[in-house]
Amino acid sequence: MDIGIIGLGRMGGNIARRLMEGGHKCVVLDRNPDAVKDVEKDGAAPARDSADMLAKLSSPRAVWLMLPAGEITEKVLAEVAGLMQPGDILIDGGNSYYKDDIRRARTLREKGIIYVDVGTSGGVWGLERGYCLMIGGEEKAVTHLDPIFACLAPGIGKIERTPGREKRDPRPEHGYVHCGPAGSGHFAKMIHNGIEYGLMQAYAEGFDILRNKSSDVLPADERFTLDLADLAEVWRRGSVISSWLLDLSAIALAKDADLKSFTGSVADSGEGRWTVEAAIEEAVPADVLSSALYTRFRSRRDHTFAEKLLSAMRYEFGGHVEQKK
């Protein structure tokens, strides 16, 4: 099927490429003409503007926004929606706040336009590995878009199948899930990212303790000089704490065990704050996730090796560059 994609940054361009590799037609638009040219080389049809994009799509027209959450998404969404017809579908694949999704869906529904929110995980590796998708919106629209989601998702791959899932929805096994109504996809992705904060913090603190075992604050016979890159590597293989985040840590430490290219100033992109806010609203204790968020705040004032590893993981999975003071 064909789809319009607006926003060709770290993830949007590769989303278009993966879809085109799967046989779909992509009409693309970005304010950076070089980004459009790069994806056009791989087979995408360029659009001059939103009106031109919609003119090149078949009905019902589907447009995927892959933009930073906030004002730019609201502006582009309003512009595209103003040109759409009843039955057309607007998809937000960025990290928007789920309450904004609920509002947008309600407003667009009055005009007959269908809104779908897609929490998208995969970072800069998505072209190769596929994207884990958490989808919110009307069942009919999600079903119509299934070829797009199935193409973007990783598929079953080599992961062992979970016993007892034989009669359940097969889509989660392939890496995408319809969570529920508008907003539920981004809500699930928000919590996913909050958990990510906690997991990253656990790795970061553990490796910091390992590194400081050679510190002269300890008695001489209790000091060890441990090879962090080797420990990360061995833990990847058969350990109960193995994960993709550990894989990325191993890559970073193999490049430079001291992580000298990172200061340890760790940004937060919003989802961690929203996760803690949701926990407060629901009166759910979230000790680890809250602490991980506050540690990122502190990292901008006082840096440790743990924060350097957090920065390194963010760079490896998402291409996030540290914010300099």
Side-chain angles (χ1 to χ4, degrees), residues 116-188:
V116 175
D117 56 288
V118 182
T120 308
S121 181
V124 295
W125 296 75
L127 176 60
E128 173 189 345
R129 293 170 56 105
Y131 299 91
C132 173
L133 305 174
M134 293 143 272
I135 307 159
E138 298 177 14
E139 179 68 46
K140 183 178 180 180
V142 173
T143 300
H144 173 75
L145 294 168
D146 190 79
I148 296 295
F149 299 139
C151 181
L152 289 174
I156 291 178
K158 298 179 181 179
I159 298 175
E160 291 186 11
R161 304 188 76 170
T162 302
R165 285 203 58 91
E166 292 78 13
K167 296 182 180 180
R168 298 179 66 89
D169 184 347
R171 292 175 293 184
E173 282 192 310
H174 291 262
Y176 66 110
V177 60
H178 182 202
C179 298
S184 63
H186 277 151
F187 184 80

Side-chain angles (χ1 to χ4, degrees), residues 97-115:
Y97 188 40
Y98 79 98
K99 291 185 180 181
D100 289 335
D101 294 317
I102 295 170
R103 169 181 52 79
R104 293 168 184 168
R106 182 172 57 247
T107 301
L108 293 176
R109 192 180 301 116
E110 296 172 356
K111 302 176 181 179
I113 299 168
I114 303 166
Y115 180 82

Side-chain angles (χ1 to χ4, degrees), residues 309-323:
L309 187 55
L310 286 176
S311 286
M313 279 188 272
R314 294 184 83 246
Y315 177 77
E316 292 294 342
F317 72 69
H320 301 289
V321 179
E322 284 186 334
Q323 294 179 357

Side-chain angles (χ1 to χ4, degrees), residues 210-215 222-228 231:
L210 290 169
R211 184 173 184 270
N212 281 284
K213 187 59 176 169
S214 62
S215 171
E222 293 184 14
R223 300 174 199 164
F224 308 138
T225 300
L226 300 166
D227 190 314
L228 303 190
L231 284 171

Side-chain angles (χ1 to χ4, degrees), residues 38-306:
D38 285 344
V39 183
E40 184 181 2
K41 291 175 185 175
D42 295 319
R48 295 187 306 275
D49 51 33
S50 300
D52 185 44
M53 168 177 282
L54 290 168
K56 292 177 177 177
L57 297 172
S58 57
S59 294
R61 297 169 298 182
V63 174
W64 182 302
L65 305 184
M66 204 65 193
L67 301 166
E71 292 182 8
I72 184 63
T73 296
E74 291 288 352
K75 179 180 178 181
V76 175
L77 186 145
E79 177 185 316
V80 177
L83 298 169
M84 282 182 151
Q85 301 295 324
D88 288 342
I89 305 170
L90 248 178
I91 307 158
D92 181 5
N95 282 327
S96 290
Y97 188 40
Y98 79 98
K99 291 185 180 181
D100 289 335
D101 294 317
I102 295 170
R103 169 181 52 79
R104 293 168 184 168
R106 182 172 57 247
T107 301
L108 293 176
R109 192 180 301 116
E110 296 172 356
K111 302 176 181 179
I113 299 168
I114 303 166
Y115 180 82
V116 175
D117 56 288
V118 182
T120 308
S121 181
V124 295
W125 296 75
L127 176 60
E128 173 189 345
R129 293 170 56 105
Y131 299 91
C132 173
L133 305 174
M134 293 143 272
I135 307 159
E138 298 177 14
E139 179 68 46
K140 183 178 180 180
V142 173
T143 300
H144 173 75
L145 294 168
D146 190 79
I148 296 295
F149 299 139
C151 181
L152 289 174
I156 291 178
K158 298 179 181 179
I159 298 175
E160 291 186 11
R161 304 188 76 170
T162 302
R165 285 203 58 91
E166 292 78 13
K167 296 182 180 180
R168 298 179 66 89
D169 184 347
R171 292 175 293 184
E173 282 192 310
H174 291 262
Y176 66 110
V177 60
H178 182 202
C179 298
S184 63
H186 277 151
F187 184 80
K189 176 58 162 49
M190 179 183 84
I191 304 305
H192 163 283
N193 283 23
I195 293 170
E196 175 188 295
Y197 279 39
L199 291 173
M200 292 172 69
Q201 188 64 32
Y203 284 124
E205 291 178 7
F207 278 99
D208 202 7
I209 296 168
L210 290 169
R211 184 173 184 270
N212 281 284
K213 187 59 176 169
S214 62
S215 171
D216 59 11
V217 302
L218 298 171
D221 61 352
E222 293 184 14
R223 300 174 199 164
F224 308 138
T225 300
L226 300 166
D227 190 314
L228 303 190
D230 283 356
L231 284 171
E233 187 63 31
V234 76
W235 286 349
R236 295 179 60 214
R237 304 177 185 279
S239 165
V240 72
I241 64 167
S242 61
S243 72
W244 187 30
L245 286 171
L246 183 60
D247 295 345
L248 299 175
S249 298
I251 291 171
L253 291 166
K255 291 177 182 176
D256 174 14
D258 292 323
L259 303 176
K260 291 186 291 291
S261 61
F262 298 95
T263 68
S265 178
V266 188
D268 67 287
S269 53
E271 296 88 343
R273 299 186 190 209
W274 297 338
T275 297
V276 173
E277 288 173 2
I280 293 170
E281 290 178 353
E282 299 167 17
V284 172
D287 307 60
V288 172
L289 307 190
S290 300
S291 178
L293 174 64
Y294 296 147
T295 298
R296 294 196 178 195
F297 297 162
R298 183 192 49 73
S299 77
R300 296 162 211 169
R301 301 183 182 186
D302 178 32
H303 312 317
T304 67
F305 183 79

Side-chain angles (χ1 to χ4, degrees), residues 26-37:
C26 292
V27 182
V28 298
L29 177 63
D30 192 283
R31 61 184 179 183
N32 180 357
D34 290 336
V36 175
K37 289 177 183 177

